[in-house]
Amino acid sequence: MVSKGPATMFLCLLLGAFTRGASPQQAFRVEPDNITVLEGAVAVLQCVVDNPSGMVQWVKDGLLLGPDTNIPGFPRYSMTGDPSKGEHRLRIVGSRLADDGAYECQAGRSKDSPGIVSRTALLSVLVPPKTPIFKEYEVNSIVTWVAGVEYRVTCSSGDAKPAAEIFFSKGGSPLSDVSHQVHSGSSEKLSSTEAVLRVTPQSLDNRKRLVCAATNEAVSDPVVVGFTMNILFPPQPPTIEGYKRPEIKAGETLKLTCISLSGNPLATLQWLKNGKVVSTSWETEDARGASRSLLTLSIKPEDNGAQLRCEAMNQVSPLPLMASVTLRVVFLPTEVSILGSSSTPENKQISLSCSTTPSNPPVQLRWWLGWRELTTTEVTVTEAAHGGTVTVSNLTHMARREENGLPLTCEAFNEVVLFTRSASLSLSVQYPPQKVWIEAPPPDSRFRAGTKVRLTCFASGGNPAPRLIWIKDTKSLKEGTQVASGKIVSKELILTTSPSDNLAIYRCNASNGSKSPALTAQTRLFVQFPPIDVKITTMAKEVRRGQTLTLTCIAGSSNPFATLAWFKDTEKLKGVDLGQKPAEFGGLSSSGKVTLVASSSDNGQRVTCQAYSSVLAETVNTFYKLNILYPPEFSSEQPSMVQGVEHGAVELPLHVSANPPEMSCSWSFRGKVLKPEGSPRHHLQAGGSLAIWNVSRADVGQYRARCQNPEGQNETHLHLDVHYAPSIRSLGDPVYVDLGATAELVCIADANPTPVGMFQWTWLGAEERSLEELELEPEAVGAVGRLRIQGARRAQAGLYECRVDNGLPPPARGSARLIVRFKPEIEKGMGLGKVAMPGDRSSPAVLQCHAQGVPSVQFSWAKNGAALDPDNPRYTEHTWHEGAWHSSTLTIANVSAAHDYATFTCRASNALGTDRLDIQLLSTSSPDPPTGLKVVSITHNSATLEWIPGFDGGLPQRFRIRYRWPGAPSALYMDVFPAQTPAFTLTGLSPDTPYSIGVSAHNALGESTQGPSVTVTTAELPLEEPPVVDPEVPRTEGPVLPPALVGGLSALGALLLLSNATLLACLFRRRQAQVSGRRPRRELGREPRSPGSHPLPFRRKPSAGNDYSLGEAVNPAAWQTLLDSYSERSASSGGSSMGTWPGYMPGHEYRPRLPPHPERAEGETDTSTTGPVAVPDSGFPARWLGPLAPHEYEDVMEPGIYEELGALHLQAPAPLCPGALPCQDYTGAYPWRGQSLAGSEDPLRIYNQVADMLPPGADEGLPFELKGELV
């Protein structure tokens, strides 16, 4: 190409200006330059156009890439920069070798300017060399060579650009005897290099590393591989240490050490004695480079003159290196041996020979049978090896049955050296066995194949003991171990029956080697077994759609015979029974056939033949896989319409099947056959699908696909539609995530365009909560929107909506549920840690365990740490599951104090973890004190209190308020009503007065310790309120008296003080008369209770469990508030168990119906005229029994509770004066006995007195768990 000079360019620009007027012409301000990048890096080609008016695009190797910023078909290519400034850089991410080529930037022609093309820029992608490999050896291995031998090492590194350079080094020193050769790589732009090294290793190269390194311009450091050289060379000759004396005595121990130095590998050592190997063990010392072998010999007479030799060698030694010593041994006779058999048939002669080992001096021999010396002998003395002599004595003796088992002894002795040694054996006189028999199942027994059967063979008599052999039909069996017991031997055969055992004869033979014939016994087995095998056969080689196929099934031998059934997948087929015929092992073989009409849907399905034995209830199956030939068929899932994106690529899919599967497909559009071969826009994909590049609106229409195989052809039509509203293609539902883990909700949309903000996520919970409140992170990339959940919490679980809107209505919506999985958490609330029941075996106990957890929770129970026996009838467990809540109830029947008062552990488990709750089962008792006392609201004359009930001791509990103000003579008590309510409004208080308020609980067995207390100060009196009568004394609600009476009481206060005692005494006598006259009528009018009727409320049995959910209806929100407040307080309470309450009502709805009870200080006495009352014969000191006047409980109490308590009164109550003050009128101080405050609403009430102490024996009629003092 001829370059243009500046003048020529100026003339062209001037000519263009004249021909096109004053319009600016587009030109390149920045043209691309040649660049070189590493494989995988980002490549950027610059292109900046001044005054752009035409369409700008890039060309790669002559291929137009298109004007889109995201180049279709090249997902790693994109055009970046500001088009308004003419910036159109080509950015290639993750450069590959395929990107290596020539690139041009083009600006298309417009009405104001002609098209321009930039200079060609070459992109060169450098590829680093692959890791070198050795042809002859493995990398990082240990290669063994022999010193002085030349070796060839070939190292190659492939697929590099430019070609790699290879060099070798040994122990860090470079090697020069290397030849190189470069070959082409796996593609035309890659090269492979091979280098060959010739090396002769020496012993000094041992353990050095030989390295091959490859490098080129793409890497800064060479790529290195290597191996370690192991050079072999021979050791030095060995030496022997430890033999110093010229002779050694027999019986002594000799220790010799052989040492060999140097060599690789270190020498292997072995000891030889008279040319025979006696030891091949040795040890090596790598630090010294030595091999060492220790030989320890116990010297024997035959060692005299023996040669000991040590040999050292390794795998490169030409001959063994050796050292040796010769032994001289002095010895005495060591052994006496008897030759010949001591076993003989009865009445036969036995011949034995007795000899000694070589000895010096010689010895004499004599024979003993039991206690008797035998003289029928011949003795000879001969010279032996090693300089000694051998003495031999031959014995001949007639054996008899009565001599069986007697010891036969040969004694060697020398009276001079006082030496004696003997050898003995037992004389065995042979005679045949007497009897043999078999213990086996009855002859008519039938066994199922696989059953274990025991057969035992017994034999008696005979010497030696007879040998028992089991024989099946004609085959001897090796199974079983023979056992002897006295004169009886047995052999047990335990066999697992198989089809071959049917009608088999098992025989036992007993013999002891005598000439008498073997004794024998036998038995026969009858075994039932299913078919041995099942086979399906057919005559058809090929089956086409619509043809008839006949399959034949043959079942192997079975006893009894099996029936055949046919199935096609899960569909049962009707077959034809072909009958049975005799088969092996005494069984029958069944056969049958079935006929099918083949269809394309049957291709690949299995036809199963099932052989069933009704007697054994066993089935044997086999199947035949159908191979149906049929022409192409389009799936029901084949789409009829495909949506594409204009200027993008779209694929027209084909869901087609055929058999044989090899088929060809062609496409046509508007009657014209498309030819993808060589077409720049149409491409035929795998499976026959058609891909269309650079889709335009002209491509909209009907496409026909026609497919054919050797069986025929078929066709379908697809409609291509361009431009469409968004839709959600994929939204995972549900999504599971563990608590604290990370998860994603992925919403995949199909839309055009896909602008930023196309995805909107919304939480669909009951409350409106934003993603910021839920701490969720939405993000979107193209058509995929994600909602990321970091550190998943339970509050984030729920239904989420994905909304996709790209400006083309309608927007798409989809929902997915996030499920947060967490380990079980057992509800450890009030009262769930204790259960109280009487231990008299009269009542059951119910233990409740509630847990939350996802996935499902499994429960287990333990008692004092030991798992409960599920088969124990006294324990019954029931489990319920509802959503994330799971419950388990353990019922203990007939609770016993000795066996059941223990700690029961409920354990809740799932795949994520375990939680536990300990529940104490104990006896009924007085309740625990309440906790968490707090003031809910306060006014000038009232305070609303709430508290958390403690454990009720297994019985209904009631609560009592204790309050006191500064200067009061004693504390006052107020009984809470309703009895079990954990909230109360204390009224009648004085304005702007501090009060100390506490609460306690009591049940039929007693009262708890004093619970918590709080100090509150009432509000000041409002301006519209009347003045307070006595600011120091609290007021409870009382009746409204006439104003005249109030004035009269004020004027006659002194008189009332004097007459107060008389008036109270009159009132008491009047009440006593009413009680004495009323009580018999009540008792006469009350119907007797049957044994099965509901007992009186205060005598009803204690709660049988730790579930306190029964009671009055409550406000759910208030109930949850109390539960939440309890949970917060009890979380750090150390696991103490509290009771729960049956219901809750706001404090302002409660008005006290019971008056306060004054408290006396400890040791105080009353100075009233009535005086204290002592309990007769009780041993208790005199006490005050109650308030001044009886209380009338009938108006407010639960029916029947206090009626029977009245029968427990000791005697008529005495007037009560608070504390130690003299009896006087406390109408002003205690307003419930007189004029009320302005705020009081309830009328004056009179209550029955409650017994303060029971006399001895007063509670003898109560059950054990209810005995005690009632308050």
Side-chain angles (χ1 to χ4, degrees):
M1 171 181 282
V2 180
S3 60
K4 301 176 181 179
T8 306
M9 292 294 297
F10 176 76
L11 291 177
C12 291
L13 292 176
L14 183 62
L15 180 62
F18 278 108
T19 57
R20 292 178 176 84
S23 299
Q25 300 297 302
Q26 55 185 3
F28 288 108
R29 182 171 8 125
V30 177
E31 293 188 71
D33 294 322
N34 297 338
I35 62 173
T36 300
V37 297
L38 294 179
E39 185 179 32
V42 177
V44 179
L45 295 171
Q46 301 290 337
C47 179
V48 181
V49 180
D50 283 338
N51 305 317
S53 59
M55 181 175 62
V56 178
Q57 61 179 331
W58 283 84
V59 180
K60 175 182 181 294
D61 293 332
L63 176 64
L64 295 174
L65 300 182
D68 289 351
T69 56
N70 294 324
I71 300 175
F74 294 85
R76 297 180 294 105
Y77 289 27
S78 62
M79 284 199 296
T80 63
D82 188 355
S84 62
K85 298 179 180 179
E87 298 173 349
H88 298 277
R89 305 181 187 93
L90 178 61
R91 186 173 187 267
I92 303 175
V93 179
S95 299
R96 302 176 185 173
L97 192 61
D99 301 327
D100 193 289
Y103 293 81
E104 296 176 345
C105 180
Q106 294 184 359
R109 183 180 59 186
S110 66
K111 64 179 182 179
D112 297 325
S113 176
I116 57 176
V117 179
S118 72
R119 64 169 171 259
T120 300
L122 298 179
L123 172 61
S124 179
V125 179
L126 299 182
V127 180
K130 302 293 184 183
T131 301
I133 59 174
F134 292 108
K135 181 178 180 181
E136 298 88 353
Y137 309 104
E138 292 185 4
V139 175
N140 295 326
S141 63
I142 297 178
V143 176
T144 301
W145 287 341
V146 177
V149 179
E150 183 180 86
Y151 294 92
R152 173 191 174 102
V153 180
T154 304
C155 179
S156 61
S157 175
D159 288 347
K161 181 186 177 190
E165 297 180 4
I166 296 179
F167 57 89
F168 291 89
S169 63
K170 179 179 67 175
S173 300
L175 300 176
S176 58
D177 190 6
V178 181
S179 60
H180 296 82
Q181 189 173 3
V182 178
H183 308 278
S184 59
S186 59
S187 66
E188 61 179 359
K189 297 182 180 180
L190 297 178
S191 300
S192 298
T193 304
E194 181 179 88
V196 177
L197 167 69
R198 295 186 180 276
V199 59
T200 302
Q202 303 300 326
S203 60
L204 295 178
D205 295 330
N206 187 36
R207 299 183 181 179
K208 290 184 179 180
R209 185 171 177 83
L210 191 142
V211 173
C212 172
T215 183
N216 71 354
E217 299 175 11
V219 294
S220 57
D221 296 322
V223 182
V224 177
V225 297
F227 57 82
T228 301
M229 294 182 293
N230 180 32
I231 310 303
L232 306 181
F233 56 94
Q236 297 178 8
T239 60
I240 296 178
E241 299 176 356
Y243 187 70
K244 300 178 180 179
R245 294 182 299 169
E247 60 184 24
I248 187 168
K249 293 181 179 181
E252 293 184 351
T253 300
L254 177 65
K255 295 183 179 180
L256 300 177
T257 304
C258 178
I259 302 175
S260 176
L261 301 176
S262 188
N264 182 36
L266 294 176
T268 61
L269 304 178
Q270 66 175 4
W271 286 93
L272 294 90
K273 178 181 174 183
N274 294 331
K276 295 183 179 180
V277 176
V278 293
S279 174
T280 58
S281 63
W282 77 96
E283 61 184 16
T284 60
E285 298 180 12
D286 293 336
R288 292 182 54 192
S291 296
R292 182 187 306 271
S293 178
L294 176 65
L295 176 65
T296 302
L297 285 179
S298 178
I299 300 301
K300 299 178 182 179
E302 55 267 27
D303 294 331
N304 186 33
Q307 184 189 47
L308 297 179
R309 186 170 75 247
C310 175
E311 294 184 351
M313 67 179 300
N314 66 7
Q315 62 194 64
V316 294
S317 300
L319 291 173
L321 305 174
M322 63 185 68
S324 64
V325 295
T326 301
L327 301 180
R328 294 177 58 85
V329 181
V330 176
F331 58 92
L332 291 174
T334 59
E335 183 178 313
V336 177
S337 59
I338 299 175
L339 300 178
S341 175
S342 63
S343 176
T344 183
E346 59 181 338
N347 301 322
K348 299 289 185 180
Q349 279 193 346
I350 183 172
S351 297
L352 299 174
S353 177
C354 178
S355 63
T356 66
T357 57
S359 63
N360 185 26
V363 296
Q364 301 179 36
L365 298 176
R366 59 188 171 188
W367 291 87
W368 300 88
L369 180 59
W371 63 91
R372 180 165 55 98
E373 183 178 359
L374 303 179
T375 58
T376 57
T377 62
E378 287 185 12
V379 178
T380 60
V381 178
T382 59
E383 294 183 358
H386 316 304
T389 60
V390 174
T391 304
V392 179
S393 176
N394 297 319
L395 170 68
T396 302
H397 177 70
M398 179 68 70
R400 295 179 176 83
R401 179 179 295 193
E402 56 270 19
E403 294 175 345
N404 181 50
L406 291 179
L408 185 61
T409 304
C410 175
E411 180 184 13
F413 64 95
N414 187 311
E415 296 178 353
V416 177
V417 295
L418 301 178
F419 169 80
T420 181
R421 189 179 299 275
S422 63
S424 298
L425 48 79
S426 179
L427 182 61
S428 176
V429 182
Q430 300 176 359
Y431 53 94
Q434 308 300 312
K435 183 181 179 181
V436 64
W437 69 97
I438 295 176
E439 284 188 1
D444 57 347
S445 299
R446 298 293 186 269
F447 301 99
R448 185 191 190 104
T451 304
K452 288 189 176 182
V453 176
R454 184 191 308 270
L455 303 178
T456 307
C457 179
F458 296 90
S460 62
N463 184 46
R467 179 171 176 262
L468 304 180
I469 299 177
W470 279 103
I471 301 174
K472 176 183 177 183
D473 291 335
T474 59
K475 180 182 179 182
S476 297
L477 304 178
K478 297 181 180 180
E479 290 83 354
T481 301
Q482 184 166 314
V483 179
S485 177
K487 294 185 178 181
I488 297 179
V489 295
S490 64
K491 190 172 185 180
E492 183 179 75
L493 178 64
I494 300 177
L495 56 93
T496 301
T497 58
S498 64
S500 64
D501 292 322
N502 186 40
L503 303 179
I505 295 177
Y506 282 83
R507 185 170 71 254
C508 177
N509 288 350
S511 63
N512 63 354
S514 64
K515 295 182 180 180
S516 302
L519 299 180
T520 184
Q522 67 180 31
T523 185
R524 184 187 296 270
L525 298 180
F526 297 92
V527 180
Q528 295 176 332
F529 53 93
I532 296 176
D533 57 9
V534 181
K535 297 180 181 178
I536 296 178
T537 60
T538 180
M539 300 298 294
K541 295 183 179 180
E542 291 184 347
V543 182
R544 288 178 170 78
R545 182 177 61 185
Q547 292 182 349
T548 299
L549 173 64
T550 300
L551 302 177
T552 302
C553 179
I554 301 176
S557 179
S558 64
N559 180 32
F561 70 87
T563 58
L564 303 181
W566 292 88
F567 297 89
K568 184 175 70 174
D569 284 349
T570 59
E571 176 189 359
K572 186 172 184 180
L573 305 177
K574 185 177 181 181
V576 178
D577 187 5
L578 300 180
Q580 296 81 31
K581 62 180 181 180
E584 57 184 337
F585 308 134
L588 295 174
S589 173
S590 301
S591 59
K593 67 178 182 178
V594 68
T595 301
L596 304 172
V597 177
S599 66
S600 59
S601 60
D602 293 332
N603 186 46
Q605 291 190 346
R606 295 182 175 184
V607 176
T608 302
C609 176
Q610 182 183 90
Y612 176 70
S613 175
S614 59
V615 175
L616 302 178
E618 289 190 29
T619 301
V620 180
N621 299 317
T622 189
F623 70 88
Y624 178 85
K625 188 173 182 180
L626 297 176
N627 182 27
I628 310 300
L629 302 177
Y630 61 94
E633 290 185 359
F634 294 95
S635 169
S636 60
E637 300 178 356
Q638 173 66 38
S640 60
M641 176 176 290
V642 177
Q643 292 181 343
V645 179
E646 192 171 20
H647 305 305
V650 67
E651 180 178 343
L652 305 182
L654 280 185
H655 299 286
V656 61
S657 63
N659 192 23
E662 294 79 13
M663 57 182 170
S664 60
C665 297
S666 62
W667 290 84
S668 61
F669 178 56
R670 297 177 182 173
K672 181 180 179 182
V673 176
L674 300 179
K675 297 181 179 180
E677 298 81 4
S679 172
R681 297 182 60 244
H682 299 95
H683 302 272
L684 195 62
Q685 306 293 325
S689 300
L690 179 65
I692 304 176
W693 293 359
N694 197 15
V695 177
S696 66
R697 300 183 185 182
D699 295 323
V700 175
Q702 197 81 6
Y703 289 77
R704 185 186 69 182
R706 176 175 295 171
C707 298
Q708 64 180 8
N709 71 348
E711 298 297 317
Q713 66 178 15
N714 199 356
E715 65 180 34
T716 187
H717 296 82
L718 290 85
H719 183 78
L720 175 61
D721 186 21
V722 179
H723 285 292
Y724 53 90
S727 63
I728 295 179
R729 301 177 58 184
S730 175
L731 181 57
D733 182 31
V735 175
Y736 294 91
V737 61
D738 291 341
L739 189 67
T742 300
E744 283 187 348
L745 296 180
V746 181
C747 181
I748 302 177
D750 188 7
N752 180 44
T754 56
V756 177
M758 183 176 70
F759 292 90
Q760 293 89 35
W761 292 89
T762 308
W763 189 61
L764 300 181
E767 304 173 359
E768 291 186 2
R769 299 170 67 182
S770 65
L771 299 183
E772 290 76 9
E773 295 174 347
L774 293 170
E775 300 180 3
L776 300 181
E777 304 174 5
E779 61 182 36
V781 178
V784 179
R786 289 181 172 86
L787 186 62
R788 188 180 301 277
I789 299 96
Q790 300 277 4
R793 298 178 287 109
R794 294 189 208 171
Q796 294 171 331
L799 194 64
Y800 292 81
E801 180 189 73
C802 172
R803 183 175 183 272
V804 185
D805 186 359
N806 68 343
L808 300 176
R813 300 173 185 267
S815 61
R817 184 172 299 277
L818 177 66
I819 298 177
V820 180
R821 300 183 296 191
F822 56 95
K823 69 176 185 179
E825 295 180 2
I826 297 179
E827 180 182 3
K828 300 175 182 177
M830 189 81 62
L832 298 179
K834 290 183 180 180
V835 174
M837 282 300 299
D840 55 0
R841 299 179 181 272
S842 63
S843 304
V846 179
L847 278 59
Q848 300 281 347
C849 187
H850 308 284
Q852 278 186 298
V854 176
S856 182
V857 172
Q858 303 296 325
F859 291 94
S860 62
W861 289 86
K863 175 183 175 183
N864 290 336
L868 293 182
D869 183 5
D871 298 328
N872 193 332
R874 297 186 63 249
Y875 301 110
T876 305
E877 182 191 8
H878 296 284
T879 305
W880 296 268
H881 304 276
E882 183 176 356
W885 278 99
H886 316 271
S887 302
S888 177
T889 300
L890 178 65
T891 302
I892 306 172
N894 303 326
V895 174
S896 167
H899 297 90
D900 298 320
Y901 284 172
T903 298
F904 290 81
T905 301
C906 171
R907 191 179 301 274
S909 305
N910 66 7
L912 300 180
T914 302
D915 197 6
R916 56 177 287 172
L917 170 65
D918 292 334
I919 302 175
Q920 296 180 353
L921 179 58
L922 41 84
S923 176
T924 51
S925 62
S926 58
D928 291 345
T931 60
L933 177 64
K934 67 177 182 179
V935 179
V936 177
S937 63
I938 190 168
T939 65
H940 68 283
N941 64 348
S942 67
T944 300
L945 310 172
E946 288 181 358
W947 58 90
I948 301 174
F951 177 61
D952 61 5
L955 298 170
Q957 63 177 342
R958 296 180 292 277
F959 302 101
R960 176 173 292 167
I961 303 296
R962 176 184 182 274
Y963 63 101
R964 189 170 185 170
W965 64 96
S970 63
L972 299 185
Y973 290 84
M974 181 69 68
D975 289 341
V976 174
F977 184 83
Q980 297 181 351
T981 303
F984 186 78
T985 299
L986 185 64
T987 60
L989 306 180
S990 299
D992 195 19
T993 302
Y995 288 89
S996 177
I997 304 175
V999 61
S1000 62
H1002 59 96
N1003 61 12
L1005 294 183
E1007 186 170 2
S1008 71
T1009 59
Q1010 186 64 39
S1013 61
V1014 296
T1015 301
V1016 300
T1017 302
T1018 54
E1020 295 182 358
L1021 182 68
L1023 297 178
E1024 63 275 14
E1025 294 266 348
V1028 179
V1029 177
D1030 188 354
E1032 294 184 354
V1033 181
R1035 278 123 172 117
T1036 60
E1037 297 176 353
V1040 180
L1041 300 180
L1045 180 58
V1046 175
L1049 290 176
S1050 301
L1052 300 177
L1055 181 61
L1056 289 176
L1057 291 175
L1058 296 176
S1059 61
N1060 183 49
T1062 305
L1063 177 60
L1064 293 177
C1066 294
L1067 291 175
F1068 171 73
R1069 294 189 186 95
R1070 178 180 177 184
R1071 178 60 184 166
Q1072 186 178 19
Q1074 292 175 353
V1075 171
S1076 61
R1078 183 186 308 151
R1079 188 170 302 154
R1081 290 192 297 273
R1082 290 179 180 174
E1083 294 176 355
L1084 292 175
R1086 184 183 304 133
E1087 294 182 2
R1089 300 183 184 272
S1090 63
S1093 63
H1094 193 284
L1096 293 176
F1098 85 100
R1099 288 195 179 189
R1100 64 172 175 253
K1101 288 192 176 183
S1103 170
N1106 60 333
D1107 187 0
Y1108 300 90
S1109 59
L1110 300 177
E1112 300 173 0
V1114 299
N1115 182 329
W1119 175 257
Q1120 185 62 43
T1121 301
L1122 291 180
L1123 286 179
D1124 294 343
S1125 63
Y1126 156 72
S1127 301
E1128 296 173 359
R1129 298 187 193 98
S1130 63
S1132 60
S1133 62
S1136 61
S1137 300
M1138 306 290 182
T1140 58
W1141 51 88
Y1144 169 76
M1145 299 178 67
H1148 68 273
E1149 295 185 11
Y1150 288 92
R1151 292 294 183 265
R1153 302 302 187 188
L1154 305 181
H1157 306 290
E1159 180 189 55
R1160 295 182 302 280
E1162 190 173 327
E1164 292 180 348
T1165 59
D1166 196 307
T1167 58
S1168 66
T1169 57
T1170 304
V1173 178
V1175 179
D1177 301 327
S1178 66
F1180 291 98
R1183 297 181 59 181
W1184 296 106
L1185 299 180
L1188 187 61
H1191 296 169
E1192 194 72 58
Y1193 280 86
E1194 290 82 346
D1195 296 337
V1196 295
M1197 68 183 180
E1198 295 179 5
I1201 293 181
Y1202 296 97
E1203 292 179 6
E1204 288 203 6
L1205 290 179
L1208 300 177
H1209 295 173
L1210 301 176
Q1211 53 184 317
L1216 172 66
C1217 296
L1221 299 178
C1223 274
Q1224 54 182 316
D1225 190 350
Y1226 281 95
T1227 303
Y1230 302 99
W1232 69 86
R1233 301 296 300 155
Q1235 177 68 35
S1236 68
L1237 295 176
S1240 302
E1241 299 178 357
D1242 293 343
L1244 178 66
R1245 300 186 182 276
I1246 302 176
Y1247 301 90
N1248 281 333
Q1249 180 185 6
V1250 178
D1252 190 42
M1253 181 190 305
L1254 297 179
D1259 58 350
E1260 291 180 355
L1262 293 173
F1264 170 79
E1265 65 273 12
L1266 296 182
K1267 290 183 179 182
E1269 180 178 352
L1270 299 178
V1271 178

